[in-house]
Amino acid sequence: MELYFVAIILDRDRAADALSITEGLPLRLTLLGHGTARQEHLNLYGLEKTEKAVVVTVADADKTKKLVRAARLKLFIDIPGNGIMMSVPVKSVGGGKTLAYLTDNATPDGAKPEMKFEHELVFVILNEGYTEMVMEAAWAGGASGGTVLHAKGTGKQYAQKFLGVSLADEKDVILIVAESGKKAEIMRCVTTQTGPDTPAGAIAFSLPISSVAGLRSQFAAQ
């Protein structure tokens, strides 16, 4: 059965609209973040960084296509400034009960996602406070923008002990949608300029995107 991790990135005040088109799906999450427009552009127009919401879900192939259509018709996702939507193929799930939950007990049909991808999702994990440094490197590699989420690192190398309580380092996560042909240069610039041996401590990897909507207006949406 084809399953896809679907993410919709848009202005935070429109998160409810994104949730409305995913209604009925068993798994729905809303993550909060902000855009990464260059500071000089924000200053030029007297703007502030836009707060973003990332609404994520998991759906089968048919429901994913319906979500993309709904995003275009109801969220106007292809109009500049209205966000971006992507689907990432799910390779495996943790057991039959998980599959039943995610598919509403649908009968598995053995179908697999087509492995031809024009776009990829570059996933960058970095130390908090170095977002602009990492994005400068990404822009130099050809990125047009990204969305920043806040996180906590829980790897053993990051854990600290204070009064018997384990404290995890604060982390930022940057999501960058890129054309497959540009992905390698973006990741190269990020890792060479802001990689693990720098204060930013950035590590990057990419995930294939099966379908994407709103990419032509990505900079405006970020």
Side-chain angles (χ1 to χ4, degrees), residues 6 13 15 19 27 36 53 55 61 84 89 96 107 125 130 154 159 190 216:
V6 181
D13 59 6
L19 285 169
L27 176 65
T36 59
V55 175
I84 187 170
T107 302
I125 303 171
Y130 292 91
T154 57
V190 167
R216 66 184 180 185

Side-chain angles (χ1 to χ4, degrees), residues 117-141:
F117 310 108
E118 296 182 0
H119 301 92
E120 298 190 39
L121 176 64
V122 179
F123 202 98
V124 186
I125 303 171
L126 60 141
N127 293 328
E128 183 186 29
Y130 292 91
T131 298
E132 290 189 11
M133 178 186 297
V134 172
M135 280 308 304
E136 287 292 342
W139 282 320

